[in-house]
Amino acid sequence: MNRTVWHGLVVLAAALLIAAVYQPVGAQREPIKIGAIVPLTGPSGVSGQAMQKGYQLAMDEISRQGLLGRRVELIVEDDRGDPPTGAAAFLKLVTRDRIDVLAGGLQSATSIAIAAQARQRPILMAWTGAASTLVERALADADWFFHYHPWEYHNADSTFGFLRSTGARTIAMAYEDGPFGSGSADQAGAFARNYGLTLTFNEAFKTGSPDLTPLLTKAKGANADAFVFVSFDQDVVPMATQARQVGFSPKIILAAPPSWPVGFEKLGAGNYVAGMALWTAENGHGVSRRFVQRYKERFNEDPSSYWAPLAYTNLITVAEAIRRAGNTDLAALTREMKATEYEGPIGLPLTFKRSIYGKNQGYTRLIAFQWINGKQVVVWPEQIAGGKLAYPAPYGR
Amino acid sequence: MAGAALLAAAAALPFWLNRTQPYFLQLALNVLIVAVLALSWDLLARTGQLSLAHAAFFGLGAYTSALLTTRAGVPVVAGIVLGGLMATAVAAALGVLTLRLRGIYFAIATLAFSETLRVITKQLRFTGGSAGLVTPPLLPANLPAQYLVILGILLLAALTSELVNRSRWHFAFTAIRTNEEVAAVMGIDVVRFKVLAFAISAFFAGLTGAFYAHVFLFINPFEAYSLAISVGALVAPIFGGLYTTIGPLLGAVALRIGEETLRAALGSGFLIIYGLILAAVILYMPRGLLGLWTAAAARRHAGERGVTAPVSGNGQA
Amino acid sequence: MAIFGVLRSGLYSLASVGLALSVGVIGVVNFAHGEFLMLGAYLGYWLFASYGIDPLAAIPIGAVALFLLGGAVHRLGIQRVLRSPELNQMLLTFGISIFLQNLAIILWGGDPRTAAVGYKAQSVALGPFTVGFPQLVVFAVAMTLTLSLYAILGGSRIGKAMRAVAQNRVGASLIGIEVDRIYLLTFGLSTALAGMAGLMIALQLSTSPFIGLLYTLKAFAIIVMAGLGNITGVIYASLVLGLSEAFVEFYVPQGGGWAEGVFFVLILVVLLVRPRGLFR
């Protein structure tokens, strides 16, 4: 090769080297970038959009207070409830947008796909989603994975703990036959025993069924104190109305849909049905009330599920950890996230501790509420109860 | 010599891309999955049979491989191949039973089959039930290699498609599609060809399903047997141009671009584009995008030559 | 259990009879059938939530509204593919179904909405049995509508024209029947029936953009069992479906999960064994 070519190659190599190493002077002033992957569209789109609203409220505060003297940028990507899209979204956030920390998360399948990617490109995952223990086990050794949402067994634990507190001794349970319901059903037997309760009936149904009368008639025959109904929003309507029709009046009906249909509050048959959730808008906690207020002002509607305050908590705690760490270095962030102690709108204290398989588990319990005259009144645990549980509940009277 | 160098460069491309823009590599991988499904669906459509069972074979491939690799210690690559073969076998059996049904009856029967598989998989403990299965990875942490695998599958499918289109099979398929009775009278073994098409189509669907399972590491009955898979597999070829090799691929890419654009603009409900495309294509451009292209080319050609040349047909829609 | 199965079949048959009409007379399998039902349900919810109109009373409104909508859809789209291969018709209606479902998502969001009709949870004594009042109402409405349809088809001029077209399109036009107009009317009628079924669903249950598919599938199962085009067979087929589901749910342990498979298996079995339908 002649000298010109050699010189050219050397110059090229030097230029590449400099470009790789060079950091522009203004690097310190680069904004802090937080990425979030949520399903804005697809079957869980409603919950994902609620999360986005929670993030917006959090960003209002964070931007106002400032963070380490730098601008903060939130980049939300839609995973559409589709694991391949989630994997691509992760790569975009990490390799193109160069985020400093990853928030978000809702469905289990997408969580697994994203986590697989995160193992190759280590980043702190402050994850609000996935309740399936399969995800917990897949990420058992991950120190950088912080999980906010209760796992399935936490949900079961709270449910049966609540039932125990009501005085019920025998339980009949029906669950929708998808991953959401089946996950609860698997845990049910063990947890019932833990709390000294007897599960006399445990059967599946198909979500969206217009007619639950055979199921409810069977459940009625089991003669249990409590009826637990794990379903989606659309199923609670036939459940409540048809339970009245077949004369099924256990001492308490406990439904656990992730959200409730619009108009349920007006349904006579829905009165005194109890529910479990991470949070309800009727929560009496001061911080919660202020959150609901700000949400109403900003979006002109009531928050319909716990996803908004959960997302808000997600972002605020991440920002706090960054603030304490003084930088966005992974090791420092991990250390500070572990030190999180936060009491926010959810109303339960948030810390990260070990769970059965995981290292950093946030919320571990649900609260119970009862529909009383169109309002979701929190009835358990006692410390945050806003009213007294009607037990036995006067269904049909 | 130049060809080998080009091939080597093409194989190296994903590895380079992985260093610089892995996001695009992942996007490409995602689109290729849909492309293979589209092309394989089209293969069967060439015999005039409209299948809604594509999801069934996708799921069968995924679950076969997942179960073999997690419970029987079969290596992942073997699992994927076996997944494809299982789908083929089931398709052959199902085909013999149902391929005498025509048009809408066949479509409904395939839909029923798909859903029945989903229900059975969901109910059995053995398959992991509703909660699903976590699966071992294929070429773990190696996105470019995974990409090359699905590209390989696509090339195989494209090769098969082209072979079919350039051989006597093309005439047989077209004859069957146009009029089965006449084809039979002409001496074409209608059942044999339809079952063959069904089996080959299912092979690729099963292979892709298994690939999906080992790249995204998790399957459950709702995703693996989802109607959306069958829908995606059929809209792409219709949009791009039926009964060709390029058409389904073009359709898959164009559809993905259209989806993303619309999603950015509309948010939830962007899937409305599928509905609009289907309606628009059926009503106004039955030959799909490819048809538009060839029609425009023919017009240009005719203009150049000064005579009106007939539009090259790709068979009836 | 038999009573529950029977009552359930009322809703099913009302949801399916429109599709049977469309398939039988026009020969179009309308994949969007469930979406018209869904729109009817939303109409019922809206009328109740905004004006307090009971879905029962809204039946005439719903029928007219969905009839007009169906007519428009037919004119704009379906009419053009009537002479095309079946594949095209199927895909067009499939496309319409996706379009309508996502339109509902865009307009009204994904949350289900329920109309808190006063007697939604009431029960009524029927001899030795206690049954749900709304279910009984829906069953009565379904039977009335189906039997009226049967009467119209048998007795009236329009009905006879429809049957003529169903049997032989060319022959019918030769004797002076305006086939295109009959197609338009029939399609409108089929969507109107779907809309009325939707109103009953708003009465008994709740609505969301996603309920369409379930009812389309059940309608398919029912008309396949009845034999494509057999209108009265729809009642029998609905009974078979309703009763077998109810029995599986009640008597089979963990039946609820398997019951979903019942109608798919039924479709498969019928198509493989007696594709002409069970009730010809």
Side-chain angles (χ1 to χ4, degrees):
Chain A
M1 261 195 279
N2 67 25
R3 287 164 58 111
T4 323
V5 178
W6 255 123
H7 285 169
L9 280 175
V10 168
V11 169
L12 188 62
L16 285 174
L17 202 61
I18 293 172
V21 168
Y22 176 68
Q23 279 202 4
V25 172
Q28 294 302 5
R29 296 300 190 82
E30 280 238 326
I32 295 182
K33 295 192 188 162
I34 305 178
I37 305 179
V38 295
L40 293 174
T41 58
S44 299
V46 178
S47 306
Q49 286 163 24
M51 285 181 74
Q52 195 176 36
K53 297 193 175 113
Y55 284 141
Q56 282 169 343
L57 286 177
M59 280 304 287
D60 289 346
E61 255 180 60
I62 296 172
S63 302
R64 209 176 39 235
Q65 291 175 1
L67 191 57
L68 303 181
R70 291 157 67 176
R71 217 166 36 91
V72 182
E73 208 179 299
L74 173 70
I75 308 170
V76 178
E77 287 292 324
D78 181 6
D79 67 30
R80 296 165 51 171
D82 176 49
T85 311
F90 176 87
L91 282 171
K92 171 182 178 284
L93 287 172
V94 167
T95 63
R96 283 170 66 83
D97 299 313
R98 304 211 178 279
I99 54 171
D100 299 299
V101 64
L102 180 64
L106 203 145
Q107 286 162 309
S108 300
T110 347
S111 303
I112 292 183
I114 293 173
Q117 298 280 354
R119 283 186 186 284
Q120 273 91 63
R121 297 166 201 273
I123 188 164
L124 191 105
M125 262 176 89
W127 212 238
T128 52
S132 163
T133 26
L134 288 176
V135 180
E136 191 193 17
R137 277 186 268 208
L139 285 158
D141 56 331
D143 216 27
W144 39 268
F145 180 71
F146 289 81
H147 189 244
Y148 288 67
H149 199 285
W151 293 114
E152 278 166 343
Y153 53 82
H154 292 128
N155 293 347
D157 189 46
S158 295
T159 306
F160 287 97
F162 165 63
L163 286 171
R164 170 102 207 163
S165 80
T166 62
R169 286 293 165 263
T170 49
I171 319 279
M173 180 157 148
Y175 58 95
E176 69 91 23
D177 61 6
F180 175 67
S182 302
S184 311
D186 289 341
Q187 319 275 347
F191 280 95
R193 271 193 305 277
N194 279 359
Y195 282 100
L197 304 168
T198 321
L199 198 59
T200 59
F201 177 87
N202 194 3
E203 287 213 11
F205 65 93
K206 170 99 186 119
T207 184
S209 291
D211 183 25
L212 295 170
T213 43
L215 177 78
L216 293 169
T217 311
K218 272 209 271 197
K220 181 180 173 190
N223 247 322
D225 293 328
F227 178 58
V228 178
F229 189 70
V230 187
S231 72
F232 289 110
D233 35 21
Q234 54 190 355
D235 305 305
V236 290
V237 175
M239 184 276 290
T241 54
Q242 288 162 18
R244 290 297 92 254
Q245 288 163 6
V246 305
F248 180 38
S249 297
K251 300 200 181 109
I252 187 83
I253 295 179
L254 177 60
S259 60
W260 296 75
V262 173
F264 188 83
E265 63 276 8
K266 303 198 187 83
L267 209 58
N271 213 5
Y272 299 114
V273 168
M276 305 286 308
L278 187 58
W279 172 89
T280 77
E282 308 291 330
N283 199 322
H285 212 234
V287 182
S288 171
R289 288 212 176 286
R290 280 197 295 281
F291 177 83
V292 174
Q293 184 64 26
R294 287 208 345 255
Y295 189 99
K296 277 212 266 240
E297 281 164 12
R298 184 81 146 82
F299 302 111
N300 231 341
E301 63 180 18
D302 286 321
S304 61
S305 71
Y306 62 85
W307 289 104
L310 184 60
Y312 172 89
T313 303
N314 185 212
L315 211 54
I316 295 282
T317 46
V318 164
E320 285 300 308
I322 295 177
R323 185 170 291 126
R324 288 196 302 270
N327 59 50
T328 56
D329 175 53
L330 181 59
L333 264 183
T334 308
R335 195 188 58 235
E336 291 309 326
M337 280 292 288
K338 284 187 195 276
T340 300
E341 269 179 34
Y342 179 72
E343 278 228 31
I346 299 248
L348 302 166
L350 175 67
T351 55
F352 289 104
K353 298 210 175 66
R354 286 212 65 113
S355 58
I356 295 184
Y357 296 105
K359 288 191 165 172
N360 305 307
Q361 177 58 32
Y363 291 111
T364 54
R365 66 180 314 182
L366 305 176
I367 60 175
F369 62 87
Q370 189 173 37
W371 283 99
I372 299 185
N373 299 327
K375 293 230 170 294
Q376 293 173 323
V377 178
V378 179
V379 295
W380 181 86
E382 277 188 32
Q383 306 93 285
I384 58 170
K388 194 154 174 355
L389 171 71
Y391 179 92
Y395 299 121
R397 294 198 293 277
Chain B
M1 193 64 238
L6 207 61
L7 212 61
L13 183 68
F15 288 93
W16 174 77
L17 206 58
N18 192 37
R19 277 184 206 299
T20 51
Q21 301 284 15
Y23 168 55
F24 289 125
L25 195 56
Q26 181 73 49
L27 281 180
L29 187 147
N30 296 352
V31 172
L32 285 188
I33 291 179
V34 180
V36 178
L37 290 175
L39 191 51
S40 52
W41 185 88
D42 189 80
L43 269 168
L44 180 64
R46 292 174 203 180
T47 61
Q49 297 290 109
L50 198 91
S51 161
L52 289 173
H54 231 53
F57 301 120
F58 181 90
L60 261 176
Y63 266 96
T64 306
S65 186
L67 288 170
L68 285 173
T69 51
T70 53
R71 299 197 202 271
V74 171
V76 173
V77 175
I80 294 182
V81 173
L82 286 170
L85 291 175
M86 173 64 114
T88 316
V90 173
L94 183 69
V96 168
L97 284 176
T98 59
L99 279 168
R100 51 200 170 89
L101 298 170
R102 312 279 183 76
I104 191 65
Y105 289 99
F106 179 72
I108 296 180
T110 53
L111 178 61
F113 175 68
S114 209
E115 291 292 302
T116 306
L117 270 188
R118 179 175 61 76
V119 171
I120 295 176
T121 310
K122 164 191 67 134
Q123 293 290 103
L124 296 176
R125 281 255 148 264
F126 164 70
T127 57
S130 272
L133 284 175
V134 174
T135 47
L138 168 74
L139 302 167
N142 200 338
L143 180 61
Q146 291 171 349
Y147 174 83
L148 285 175
V149 169
I150 188 73
L151 186 63
I153 296 178
L154 179 64
L155 287 175
L156 190 60
L159 198 64
T160 312
S161 168
E162 278 297 290
L163 276 175
V164 165
N165 269 359
R166 288 172 204 263
S167 71
R168 288 177 317 150
W169 285 30
H170 174 64
F171 296 111
F173 281 11
T174 314
I176 296 173
R177 181 172 77 240
T178 318
N179 192 319
E180 262 190 52
E181 283 91 2
V182 173
V185 162
M186 276 169 42
I188 296 178
D189 188 343
V190 173
V191 175
R192 175 167 156 259
F193 277 108
K194 288 212 275 189
V195 172
L196 268 171
F198 203 25
I200 298 176
S201 160
F203 174 69
F204 286 106
L207 219 54
T208 311
F211 174 82
Y212 177 97
H214 294 290
V215 166
F216 299 104
L217 309 183
F218 176 74
I219 50 168
N220 69 34
F222 301 88
E223 278 184 30
Y225 293 107
S226 155
L227 185 59
I229 296 174
S230 296
V231 170
L234 70 90
V235 176
I238 290 168
F239 188 34
L242 283 164
Y243 319 130
T244 63
T245 304
I246 302 280
L249 305 182
L250 188 61
V253 173
L255 209 54
R256 183 47 62 94
I257 295 177
E259 271 179 31
E260 287 305 314
T261 317
L262 218 67
R263 187 167 59 78
L266 268 186
S268 241
F270 72 93
L271 287 168
I272 203 169
I273 189 179
Y274 275 66
L276 287 169
I277 287 181
L278 270 180
V281 168
I282 297 295
L283 291 175
Y284 302 115
M285 37 180 225
R287 301 254 168 83
L289 288 175
L290 211 57
L292 288 180
W293 175 272
T294 42
R299 272 200 300 278
R300 241 179 338 153
H301 222 199
E304 282 171 15
R305 270 205 251 131
V307 297
T308 38
V311 175
S312 57
N314 287 324
Q316 287 196 183
Chain C
M1 247 344 93
I3 285 276
F4 291 137
V6 169
L7 286 180
R8 180 191 298 205
S9 78
L11 181 61
Y12 287 168
S13 79
L14 184 58
S16 318
V17 76
L19 190 61
L21 193 64
S22 155
V23 170
V25 175
I26 315 179
V28 168
V29 180
N30 182 11
F31 269 86
H33 187 73
E35 269 62 45
F36 289 106
L37 183 151
M38 179 265 291
L39 289 175
Y42 265 99
L43 182 66
Y45 170 79
W46 174 68
L47 287 173
F48 182 81
S50 307
Y51 302 108
I53 303 178
D54 188 306
L56 258 186
I59 284 184
I61 308 177
V64 168
L66 267 301
F67 180 86
L68 291 173
L69 180 64
V73 168
H74 180 88
R75 245 293 133 66
L76 290 174
I78 302 200
Q79 196 165 319
R80 289 141 146 278
V81 296
L82 284 179
R83 302 199 186 5
S84 300
E86 251 180 9
L87 168 66
N88 290 25
Q89 297 170 3
M90 234 189 77
L91 292 171
L92 179 63
T93 56
F94 209 21
I96 295 175
S97 118
I98 297 176
F99 176 78
L100 288 175
Q101 186 187 87
N102 283 281
L103 191 64
I105 293 176
I106 294 174
L107 290 176
W108 302 307
D111 285 321
R113 292 160 199 267
T114 180
V117 175
Y119 51 89
K120 208 161 180 132
Q122 261 183 29
S123 51
V124 129
L126 208 63
F129 303 108
T130 314
V131 297
F133 186 53
Q135 278 91 324
L136 197 59
V137 166
V138 171
F139 184 77
V141 168
M143 288 303 113
T144 314
L145 286 174
T146 313
L147 292 172
S148 319
L149 183 65
Y150 192 52
I152 293 177
L153 285 176
S156 78
R157 236 189 40 187
I158 295 261
K160 289 199 184 132
M162 284 183 185
R163 277 166 52 215
V165 168
Q167 282 181 1
N168 190 324
R169 177 207 294 163
V170 176
S173 67
L174 281 179
I175 61 172
I177 295 179
E178 278 184 56
V179 173
D180 284 337
R181 209 174 121 240
I182 292 290
Y183 281 161
L184 183 65
L185 282 174
T186 309
F187 193 74
L189 187 56
S190 106
T191 55
L193 284 165
M196 289 188 262
L199 280 171
M200 293 299 96
I201 288 176
L203 173 69
Q204 196 184 324
L205 302 157
S206 62
T207 181
S208 81
F210 309 105
I211 61 175
L213 182 64
L214 179 71
Y215 291 100
T216 307
L217 290 177
K218 301 235 190 214
F220 273 173
I222 287 169
I223 66 175
V224 161
M225 274 197 286
L228 294 194
N230 182 351
I231 308 271
T232 40
V234 167
I235 300 187
Y236 301 124
S238 308
L239 276 172
V240 169
L241 184 63
L243 285 168
S244 48
E245 276 183 355
F247 277 111
V248 169
E249 281 168 28
F250 193 76
Y251 292 109
V252 173
Q254 290 300 340
W258 291 105
E260 184 199 3
V262 166
F263 69 92
F264 291 121
V265 171
L266 278 174
I267 296 182
L268 269 178
V269 165
V270 171
L271 280 176
L272 292 178
V273 172
R274 274 186 63 137
R276 291 247 158 268
L278 296 175
F279 297 108
R280 278 237 175 263

